[in-house]
Amino acid sequence: MGEIWTLLFVDDKHIEATRRVCRVFEQPRKFGPVVVPDRPWEAQCVIVYGSVLPDPAGSGFQMWYQSYDRSKNGPDRAHNCYAVSEDGVHWEKPELGVHEFRGSRHNNIFAKGLGSLNVIVDRGDPNGEHRYKMLFTGANSEGPGLFTAFSPDGIHWKVGTERVIDSVSDRTTLLFDPQLKAPFVGFTRRHGKDMQAEFGRRVIYRIESEDFAHWSEPTPLLVPDLADSWDLQFYGMPVFRYRDLYLGGLKRLWSTPDRIDTELVWSRDTNSWGRSRVPFLDNGPSDSWDSSWVGLASSPPLEIGGQLFFYFEGRRQAHGQRFPFPQGSIGLAVLPKDRFAAIEAGPAEGYVETKPFKWHGGRLGVNLRTNGHGYLRVALLDEDGNEIPGFSAPACTSLTGDIPCAEPSWGNQPPRELIGHSIRLRIHMVNTRLYAVYALAAPNDHA
């Protein structure tokens, strides 16, 4: 598509004015389990307290996940497992020969007892033995905390025995963004006693590191507020970079009834967060495999064929339920690229007007879906909000349908004298959802 930049509408950053429109949030389409507990060491529950990443060595994808057996204690409660896939849908569990289970190494176990693990690929590390990095929760003789591990291939790991931080609880996720001054950012909880004393419930804390070895002390980040139910707690928050912002899947623990779902949140700096306050991933029907617990993997979604593949854990048993023992699988949820939120117009025409941006001289694209007799038209405005002659909404060809990138047309091209100047878009709509605006490269622009 030759995108130069993209405007998304999860928040108001790019919006100057609106009329008769509203913001709506989309949900990915959930599919049945793609990884199920079908090995003796997986008991009845596999969870994606782990990561799913493209294989840096070539085609295909890698998954690090965890089995969970509440009936056991110690390392045998959690086996850390590895799977591979060529298409992101069909997963295989290769025999790694790394760890024994009941006297045999014919299994896909790469470690035991590592909790809440997060795997990243750090291509900028000159040490090939540290190409893969892992942050996980565990314990040593001094107590519980966060630990690190390193690997050249994602299978054979050198696991650290010294805590890098000791004041966190059992759910931590990791954001890796080399563009940040501190490229490693963790989202965690403090020990229950400390957290409960301060807030009376589970909340999200933030930690960061510049070198993966020295970490900041946890600071409160997201706390339920008066717009939330009295019984709501924040259980965890996987975060990933997407376009010009950060998106997260806030796991919400409800007490009545006991269940966990996931809400979409966003930030521009990883410190201040906006919330959708509606489910991004909702629980399945009663007695379904994901009826009581859904939560995203600790890694970004995979982009495959114009779709975003989100991997999530689904459990049949609730958080506080001890018997029967948890049953869980790993599912797939698919969302069209860039369609996290939309500006929606109904049967009466409305519009959204963007803030000024510098016109680069290429083309425009819009990601839209119309219903019934809906349409979308675009007007070009100058920096002061005046309509540019020849580029009004009535002069624009109506765009209809479900189109990932449609190009508005006025029968002519914007004048070259606009290049380098600031313009605005006023996008008029009827029965339409607008998801994104793209600046597209000109046909002869190979930058």
Side-chain angles (χ1 to χ4, degrees), residues 163-240:
R163 297 180 297 179
V164 295
I165 189 168
D166 62 5
S167 53
V168 300
S169 185
D170 62 349
R171 188 63 180 124
T172 298
T173 57
L174 176 65
L175 163 71
F176 175 51
D177 183 1
Q179 297 183 41
L180 293 172
K181 180 181 178 182
F184 309 104
V185 182
F187 302 91
T188 187
R189 304 196 313 259
R190 293 202 61 160
H191 288 311
K193 185 183 297 185
D194 299 331
M195 184 170 54
Q196 293 292 336
E198 186 171 1
F199 297 104
R201 64 177 86 187
R202 293 174 177 86
V203 305
I204 303 299
Y205 291 75
R206 183 186 183 278
I207 57 176
E208 67 178 25
S209 173
E210 295 185 18
D211 58 8
F212 209 62
H214 304 90
W215 292 80
S216 64
E217 283 298 308
T219 56
L221 184 71
L222 271 176
V223 180
D225 57 31
L226 290 176
D228 291 309
S229 171
W230 61 269
D231 67 333
L232 184 64
Q233 303 183 64
F234 293 160
Y235 197 80
M237 193 172 77
V239 171
F240 56 94

Side-chain angles (χ1 to χ4, degrees), residues 212-358:
F212 209 62
H214 304 90
W215 292 80
S216 64
E217 283 298 308
T219 56
L221 184 71
L222 271 176
V223 180
D225 57 31
L226 290 176
D228 291 309
S229 171
W230 61 269
D231 67 333
L232 184 64
Q233 303 183 64
F234 293 160
Y235 197 80
M237 193 172 77
V239 171
F240 56 94
R241 179 72 180 261
Y242 192 86
R243 301 294 192 185
D244 65 340
L245 73 165
Y246 300 92
L247 297 175
L250 179 64
K251 293 175 70 174
R252 306 185 299 182
L253 171 60
W254 303 84
S255 301
T256 51
D258 185 356
R259 63 184 179 89
I260 288 179
D261 66 6
T262 294
E263 173 188 335
L264 182 72
V265 295
W266 58 87
S267 175
R268 299 285 169 176
D269 58 7
T270 77
N271 287 294
S272 299
W273 289 83
R275 295 177 52 198
S276 63
R277 299 184 184 271
V278 295
F280 179 67
L281 276 182
D282 211 347
N283 302 105
S286 177
D287 294 328
S288 63
W289 69 279
D290 61 347
S291 59
S292 295
W293 190 315
V294 288
L296 295 176
S298 302
S299 50
L302 302 178
E303 184 179 328
I304 302 176
Q307 306 286 319
L308 300 177
F309 280 33
F310 291 88
Y311 296 89
F312 69 97
E313 55 166 323
R315 303 194 205 182
R316 189 185 300 273
Q317 274 71 38
H319 178 264
Q321 183 173 332
R322 182 160 183 79
F323 298 102
F325 293 125
Q327 298 176 355
S329 299
I330 297 170
L332 171 64
V334 177
L335 183 74
K337 181 180 174 182
D338 296 338
R339 293 193 173 185
F340 291 94
I343 302 300
E344 181 180 56
E349 185 177 274
Y351 67 75
V352 57
E353 183 179 312
T354 70
K355 291 181 178 178
F357 60 90
K358 186 172 291 187

